[in-house]
Amino acid sequence: KGGSFLAKDIIMYASDEEKKDALIIEKAGKKGLINNKTSEIIIEPEYLDIMAISDKHEDGYIVKNDTNKFGVIANDKTKVLAEKYEDIKRVTGNGYYVVVEEGKVEIIDKSGKVILDTGFDSVEEIQLDNYIIIKDGKYGVINKQGEIIIQPEYENIKFGTVDSFIA
């Protein structure tokens, strides 16, 4: 039912939640996922790499295909984001993803709609509608509308309590 996977095919747990949800498998150099409880295949072993988005398998997986493009697959096997990005990561908060497409960093939602694109180098963290960004090696904060809350001129910034920051 779940395919023929031997213990040697299992390379690591894909979820830290009691290390019981999903297992990354590797067959013929390709990675996939099986449900550790039911042995059902979650994702066929067809990717160069698979990374859990969070410690809950329900949040889905970032996958890397043969052309080194990244996408997101949900736990129910549906494609959330097509495999067309140069890089992708989910940053804490709001279900948004930080992607690199054609060398440009953007924040997008699950539908692929661009939420924010303002020429920053990286997004480190999202809290409510504020984003800690890096531009030219310096940290700053912008909001969902792209307005600068804190100029990118600090060595590091962390979120404090709601609407406060530690720089």
Side-chain angles (χ1 to χ4, degrees):
K1 183 175 179 179
S4 58
F5 297 101
L6 305 173
K8 69 177 184 60
D9 296 324
I10 297 170
I11 59 172
M12 69 183 70
Y13 290 101
S15 170
D16 288 334
E17 184 182 304
E18 298 179 19
K19 299 202 183 293
K20 293 182 182 174
D21 295 330
L23 299 172
I24 295 176
I25 54 170
E26 185 169 345
K27 204 160 191 138
K30 300 293 175 109
K31 294 179 182 174
L33 289 172
I34 60 170
N35 183 307
N36 192 33
K37 295 175 183 173
T38 65
S39 297
E40 290 181 50
I41 294 174
I42 298 170
I43 299 174
E44 293 288 340
E46 60 187 74
Y47 295 99
L48 292 179
D49 204 4
I50 294 179
M51 298 149 282
I53 288 175
S54 73
D55 63 351
K56 296 178 189 141
H57 72 280
E58 294 89 359
D59 288 338
Y61 304 91
I62 297 172
V63 296
K64 181 179 178 183
N65 69 15
D66 287 335
T67 62
N68 292 318
K69 297 292 183 178
F70 292 86
V72 174
I73 295 182
N75 193 47
D76 66 2
K77 303 179 187 180
T78 59
K79 288 197 178 193
V80 177
L81 295 176
E83 296 141 30
K84 66 177 192 172
Y85 301 100
E86 296 160 36
D87 195 9
I88 185 169
K89 68 178 177 174
R90 180 167 180 199
V91 181
T92 306
N94 295 349
Y96 295 149
Y97 301 91
V98 177
V99 299
V100 178
E101 187 174 18
E102 297 178 11
K104 197 161 107 179
V105 176
E106 301 171 327
I107 298 171
I108 63 173
D109 66 13
K110 288 187 226 181
S111 71
K113 178 183 170 201
V114 175
I115 303 299
L116 190 60
D117 162 26
T118 61
F120 42 85
D121 301 328
S122 179
V123 176
E124 295 302 301
E125 193 173 351
I126 298 173
Q127 187 178 81
L128 301 174
D129 288 336
N130 293 316
Y131 310 138
I132 293 177
I133 54 121
I134 297 177
K135 184 170 182 157
D136 300 326
K138 299 292 183 178
Y139 288 74
V141 177
I142 58 176
N143 65 18
K144 187 175 180 178
Q145 291 73 37
E147 299 163 339
I148 295 174
I149 306 299
I150 298 174
Q151 288 290 335
E153 56 188 32
Y154 295 93
E155 296 298 317
N156 199 350
I157 291 181
K158 298 286 180 199
F159 285 112
T161 57
V162 176
D163 289 331
S164 70
F165 308 95
I166 301 168

